[in-house]
Amino acid sequence: MEMAIALARDSVNNGGGPFGAIVVCGDKLAGRGWNQVTLLLDPTAHAEVTAIRDACRMLKRFDLRGCEIYTSCEPCPMCLAAIYWARLDRIFYACTRTDACSVGFDDEFIYKEIPLEIAARAVPMIQLSREAGCDVLKTWDSKPDKVRY
């Protein structure tokens, strides 16, 4: 956890957001990340996501079972989803989402949007070309050499 918090502090001192994360596999550091949203002009460049990307590159795999993530703050909804998709075994965190909210990082509106029906969400979602999209899904499903994830 000390390393994740140190990455967060370094990020703040170098123009980034106040978040850091590491991925540990066994007793080895597999990936490091810090918030680079403003530096990279990338809203997905959160500490946890960049740590997961780094770990996947280092371990040469997209499935991080057997690994854990240490993050300086409770993951936002996007990062939490990325952690689940990466199949990390455990999350250790320092600050809570309430702590982050107190300094301007409020994701509560996203937590409230997720369970809403599509038509009730703040960002309009319009379905187009369902048949063509489903055709691609069927093509993938019938592919004998597909890599499941």
Side-chain angles (χ1 to χ4, degrees):
M1 185 57 75
E2 290 175 17
M3 187 180 292
I5 292 170
L7 287 167
R9 188 175 311 286
D10 288 346
S11 179
V12 169
N13 293 333
N14 291 295
F19 306 100
I22 62 168
V23 173
V24 175
C25 198
D27 61 352
K28 296 186 179 183
L29 177 65
R32 303 175 329 135
W34 53 91
N35 185 282
Q36 300 176 58
V37 170
T38 58
L39 298 172
L40 298 178
L41 304 176
D42 178 354
T44 69
H46 289 201
E48 296 90 342
V49 171
T50 59
I52 289 168
R53 290 173 181 165
D54 191 41
C56 288
R57 276 190 303 272
M58 296 294 289
L59 297 172
K60 296 180 177 20
R61 57 188 171 117
F62 56 81
D63 185 316
L64 297 178
R65 284 182 179 97
C67 300
E68 301 170 333
I69 191 164
Y70 292 77
T71 179
S72 64
C73 190
E74 179 182 353
C76 75
M78 177 185 69
C79 293
L80 185 60
I83 289 165
Y84 275 93
W85 277 114
R87 311 289 198 270
L88 287 152
D89 290 354
R90 194 169 288 111
I91 304 165
F92 296 95
Y93 65 97
C95 301
T96 67
R97 70 192 206 204
T98 304
D99 298 327
C101 179
S102 73
V103 296
F105 294 94
D106 186 3
D107 298 324
E108 195 58 36
F109 73 99
I110 299 172
Y111 287 103
K112 289 178 180 175
E113 285 282 302
I114 291 170
L116 295 177
E117 293 293 326
I118 289 174
R121 292 181 180 161
V123 176
M125 293 178 63
I126 299 119
Q127 185 176 28
L128 301 172
S129 305
R130 180 172 184 257
E131 191 173 309
C134 287
D135 187 51
V136 176
L137 293 176
K138 290 174 190 171
T139 300
W140 183 86
D141 190 43
S142 66
K143 189 174 164 75
D145 61 342
K146 65 182 164 273
V147 177
R148 292 196 177 271
Y149 56 95

